[in-house]
Amino acid sequence: MTRPMLTQREAAAACGVSRTTIRRRREAGELPHAVQDPERGWMVPVDDLLAAGFRLNAPAPADQAAPAPADPAAPSDDEGRDAAVLRAELARLNAEHALALAEARFGQKLAEAEAEHLRRELAARGEHIADLQRAMGALTSAPERPALTGPVWPTMPGQAQGEAGEAESEPRKRWWGGQT
């Protein structure tokens, strides 16, 4: 099983160090399998972090205290090795948990971004459909409005439709009594 990769920020948070420390170690060649992703930046494999001596999800180191005097009831070397093996297994499980958590968060962010994109696309298409419906309404004649058949010229009272041209050729009397 290949372990997932962490960004420099995620690696720093998981190891309890600064991003600068991760960057310096990467530039020094201690993280040889780190690759640059155009979208997420530098991606560091967990195996490289463990090989470089980092402990994932480790608390900050405690202040150095004076060594305690030897205790006759202290564990033997075999018990110390067993404890070291158990600590290593615990560190490995913590690392796997941190990676699974990081992957879940990344998947959640990706899903949220996709959902937002789809919401914007849906809104844009809804607006387009509304525009098309308004255009169709403007192009469709209303049932209460008769369809226009051709130009209709106004006529003078008492004239038939064809007499309008003849009436204009005759001189008209002005209303105040003068001639045109």
Side-chain angles (χ1 to χ4, degrees):
M1 171 179 111
T2 60
R3 293 190 182 188
M5 300 176 84
L6 301 174
T7 63
Q8 283 189 154
R9 178 175 288 166
E10 292 168 343
C15 295
V17 296
S18 69
R19 283 189 297 163
T20 307
T21 301
I22 299 293
R23 181 183 51 82
R24 276 195 233 118
R25 294 278 190 99
R26 178 183 47 80
E27 289 173 352
E30 293 181 34
L31 306 171
H33 298 102
V35 293
Q36 190 167 16
D37 181 31
E39 294 176 4
R40 296 184 68 199
W42 281 98
M43 302 298 292
V44 182
V46 173
D47 294 333
D48 282 2
L49 292 171
L50 295 174
F54 289 112
R55 287 182 47 203
L56 296 173
N57 293 331
D63 293 337
Q64 294 294 329
D71 183 13
S76 66
D77 286 340
D78 289 340
E79 289 174 351
R81 273 187 244 128
D82 289 343
V85 168
L86 290 174
R87 281 191 203 101
E89 179 68 16
L90 179 61
R92 185 186 65 77
L93 291 174
N94 281 340
E96 286 179 6
H97 175 69
L99 292 175
L101 187 60
E103 284 178 342
R105 286 181 183 154
F106 178 72
Q108 180 183 6
K109 288 179 184 178
L110 189 63
E112 288 171 355
E114 181 67 17
E116 182 60 31
H117 168 72
L118 291 174
R119 277 190 214 101
R120 284 191 305 255
E121 190 69 27
L122 183 62
R125 289 186 184 196
E127 291 172 8
H128 184 67
I129 288 172
D131 289 343
L132 291 174
Q133 288 173 338
R134 283 191 294 274
M136 286 297 294
L139 294 173
T140 306
S141 63
E144 65 272 357
R145 182 174 49 178
L148 297 176
T149 57
V152 178
W153 302 104
T155 58
M156 299 290 289
Q159 278 185 326
Q161 222 23 3
E163 297 176 11
E166 298 166 5
E168 289 181 18
S169 62
E170 297 176 10
R172 295 177 55 189
K173 279 188 161 185
R174 296 195 175 163
W175 63 273
W176 59 89
Q179 293 281 330
T180 25

